[in-house]
Amino acid sequence: MPNAPIEPTTEHGFRERAEAIAAELTELRHALHREPELGLALPLTQRKVLAALEGLPLEITTGKALDSVTAVLRGGRPGPAVLLRGDMDALPLTELADVPYKSRIDGVMHACGHDQHTAMLVGAARLLCERKDELPGTVVFMFQPGEESYDGARHMIDEGLLEAAGQPLVGAYSVHVASNGAECGTFSARTGTQTAGNAELSVVVRGKGGHGSTPHTAADPVPVAAEMVLALQNLVTRAASVFDPVVLTVGMFQAGTKLNIIPGTAEFEATVRSTSPEAMADFLPRAVRLVEGIAEGWGMTADVDAHEVYPALIAAEEAVELGREVVDELYGGSSWHYDRHPIMASEDFSRVTAVAPGVQLGLSARPADVPEETAPFNHSPYAIFDDAALPRGAAVLAGMAAKRLAQSSPCGD
């Protein structure tokens, strides 16, 4: 019937149309890969994205404090709003992979697949714009800078991302590629925690300097800071549940200038990861009290800064099952599997899924000629991502948006 909601099955062409524009998506991805940019300022990347969206029936705004792009597609029929996200920034790495579209920017590389995410989101926008009149609702396309440690999602939210549709979001979806893992084109996800929450702990122990031959006349902060590091590791095993774990790693420890000089200060920094907001909220105050107490016990003081960077990304069951259904409809059940465990890395898409039921699907982009056992992982200077993943990512993103809108359509079942 004329008013039947669109369903993202192969009959409606998302898979076929994605394959039809695969060469254009590949060309865009290669252009992005050649000129990678870091952080929140991505003028070259933003320009390429705007050019790729030109002529589409989208309401486009760009960021003020960052080079973001927000594009809104209003369907031809009333309905709810969903969001699709692609991050755009690169990493400070010198590319060592031998590809013809190798980075031309010294010390900068798309080693985490964000160039693919951006091209996939452009592809999803094109597919959905072709079905604009049939869509029952609104789709927000979030082209985000600064995922790699710059909290770009928060900046976009501060600039009004969540109000772009003019109504609350009922779903938020993204895809993240991996350069290793299963066969290229395989999707995955899990309900609950997908990526860990992330906090930073910085400590400066203030003692009293002196000569190494007479430590009793000084207040040596080095063994005190070392005691703190060991005590924090014990705290992880005694204060955090093994069923709701916390991981703490001290990645920086600095003190002194010469072997026979007792320094006045010693400092260290640690990353803290948790699989739930509750575990993080419980652990951080304990860690601060422990460090301050050790310093006080030795007659010293400690400057302590502990703050959360990103919350854990919690995937909603309805969003995970939506992704599974769309992958099954488009590519068959063999292209989907459930992840058993969370990833202890962090992801600022969690800012969006904290306010809208969402999920980030994993998508293998391991080249077929690279053995799974030896494939470099994301963030490696040798990482290579297969362009064959591009049309699949675009089709599944478009399919998830269309299917979720159809589920809420007054004309739906």
Side-chain angles (χ1 to χ4, degrees):
M1 67 183 178
N3 292 326
I6 181 174
E7 287 287 346
T9 60
T10 53
E11 289 79 24
H12 289 85
F14 281 137
R15 175 175 176 172
E16 289 78 7
R17 284 296 300 139
E19 291 295 342
I21 62 173
E24 297 166 64
L25 299 183
T26 298
E27 183 180 358
L28 172 60
R29 183 253 166 158
H30 289 184
L32 294 166
H33 194 94
R34 291 188 190 97
E35 296 185 300
E37 297 174 288
L38 300 174
L40 301 174
L42 313 178
L44 299 177
T45 302
Q46 184 189 63
R47 194 177 308 144
K48 292 181 180 69
V49 169
L50 291 174
L53 299 177
E54 188 174 0
L56 297 179
L58 299 167
E59 301 169 10
I60 295 178
T61 58
T62 55
K64 299 180 178 63
L66 70 170
D67 288 330
S68 61
V69 176
T70 301
V72 179
L73 172 63
R74 304 201 183 274
R77 297 162 47 211
V82 296
L83 179 144
L84 301 179
R85 181 266 213 161
D87 41 7
M88 305 189 294
D89 57 318
L91 285 161
L93 287 173
T94 297
E95 184 163 19
L96 300 179
D98 186 17
V99 293
Y101 48 89
K102 191 171 183 176
S103 171
R104 298 172 180 170
I105 310 298
D106 291 340
V108 186
M109 174 193 175
H110 270 297
C112 201
H114 295 189
D115 52 338
Q116 287 210 330
H117 301 168
T118 303
M120 288 174 186
L121 189 57
V122 167
R126 290 185 56 176
L127 298 179
L128 290 166
C129 284
E130 291 175 357
R131 302 290 178 177
K132 176 181 182 295
D133 292 341
E134 304 169 36
L135 284 180
T138 299
V139 184
V140 178
F141 301 94
M142 175 187 181
F143 293 90
Q144 181 207 311
E147 188 277 330
E148 300 287 356
S149 302
Y150 289 86
D151 208 354
R154 179 180 60 80
H155 287 285
M156 291 190 71
I157 290 171
D158 288 345
E159 292 194 353
L161 170 75
L162 300 180
E163 291 76 48
Q167 60 179 311
L169 299 170
V170 298
Y173 317 116
S174 65
V175 166
H176 202 302
V177 295
S179 57
N180 66 346
E183 181 182 356
C184 182
T186 303
F187 292 84
S188 65
R190 71 188 305 272
T191 298
T193 302
Q194 286 195 287
T195 62
N198 174 21
E200 295 178 354
L201 175 66
S202 300
V203 179
V204 179
V205 183
R206 300 195 179 279
K208 178 185 175 183
H211 197 281
S213 64
T214 55
H216 63 287
T217 65
D220 190 347
V222 176
V224 176
E227 183 178 332
M228 291 174 180
V229 171
L230 294 177
L232 287 168
Q233 298 295 341
N234 284 331
L235 184 67
V236 168
T237 68
R238 292 298 175 263
S241 168
V242 295
F243 302 107
D244 193 6
V246 171
V247 175
L248 182 146
T249 300
V250 175
M252 188 279 283
F253 191 108
Q254 293 180 348
T257 58
K258 196 173 181 182
L259 79 166
N260 64 344
I261 299 174
I262 295 174
T265 62
E267 59 185 289
F268 64 89
E269 295 180 355
T271 179
V272 184
R273 311 278 170 152
S274 74
T275 56
S276 75
E278 294 78 14
M280 185 70 78
D282 178 72
F283 183 83
L284 281 186
R286 288 175 181 261
V288 172
R289 289 196 301 270
L290 178 63
V291 167
E292 291 176 340
I294 292 173
E296 183 180 1
W298 284 99
M300 302 182 200
T301 61
D303 300 335
V304 186
D305 176 53
H307 63 275
E308 187 177 58
V309 179
Y310 298 143
L313 195 164
I314 310 297
E317 182 177 7
E318 65 182 77
V320 174
E321 290 308 300
L322 175 71
R324 182 192 62 78
E325 291 171 7
V326 170
V327 170
D328 186 30
E329 290 168 357
L330 293 176
Y331 298 104
S334 62
S335 293
W336 172 271
H337 72 262
Y338 288 100
D339 293 322
R340 294 182 59 191
H341 305 293
I343 298 171
M344 295 309 290
S346 298
E347 164 63 68
D348 70 352
F349 188 53
S350 60
R351 303 275 187 209
V352 180
T353 58
V355 297
V359 65
Q360 182 170 91
L361 302 184
L363 171 57
S364 175
R366 175 176 60 87
D369 61 348
V370 178
E372 183 175 355
E373 300 77 20
T374 59
F377 190 56
N378 294 28
H379 288 224
S380 166
Y382 293 97
I384 299 176
F385 302 85
D386 196 329
D387 293 321
L390 293 173
R392 287 201 169 206
V396 168
L397 282 172
M400 291 180 72
K403 190 175 184 70
R404 181 61 185 88
L405 294 182
Q407 288 174 349
S408 296
S409 171
C411 296
D413 295 333

